[in-house]
Amino acid sequence: MQRLTPEEFQKAEKLPLTVVLDDVRSMHNVGSVLRTADAFRLEEVVLCGITGTPPHPEIHKTALGAEDCVAWRYCDTALEAVQQLKERGITVFSVEQATDSIMLPSFQAERGKHYAIVLGNEVKGVHQEVIDASDGCLEIPQLGVKHSMNVSVTAGIVIYHFSCQLRS
């Protein structure tokens, strides 16, 4: 299957994308995001606020070891993480339904730029101050009765979109 070893993963070129988890409650969502970050070789995952951190058995249950390969760090708040990322010149988008959000299919990532996406709490979403500090909001069009999606599913969709645009 030509899988990378953990050592090869550390040295391999990364997709210029960071995921910030803003008060994500579910350890399973955290593990799933870490596993998706491994699959697409993301630069980093930033775990903020009440978001659980490895090592944790429930994170490991869905991450399946990705928590040992993917670069991750903890910040007290997502706002702090966003401010740090922006200081490094990274363009930050909150993934949220908001006024003036950009529908994901319409968003074109620019090669050579580094991006971060912020994913929010399963019930409350991304904190308003984080949205305000972001460079914009991305939104996944939804056609059903519910107007929300699971955090890890949302992460997969948005990460795939960035991967297609920045790698192809």
Side-chain angles (χ1 to χ4, degrees), residues 98-161:
T99 305
D100 299 324
S101 62
I102 302 165
M103 289 297 166
L104 188 62
S106 301
F107 176 72
Q108 179 62 50
E110 295 178 42
R111 288 177 185 260
K113 277 183 90 169
H114 286 75
Y115 293 93
I117 57 170
V118 182
L119 301 164
N121 177 274
E122 292 88 342
V123 175
K124 298 177 181 177
V126 178
H127 284 96
Q128 186 62 50
E129 65 269 14
V130 175
I131 291 171
D132 294 341
S134 297
D135 295 298
C137 287
L138 298 175
E139 183 177 339
I140 298 171
Q142 297 175 49
L143 306 175
V145 174
K146 300 294 179 187
H147 288 278
S148 66
M149 296 175 68
N150 177 276
V151 172
S152 63
V153 171
T154 299
I157 292 168
V158 177
I159 291 167
Y160 181 75
H161 183 83

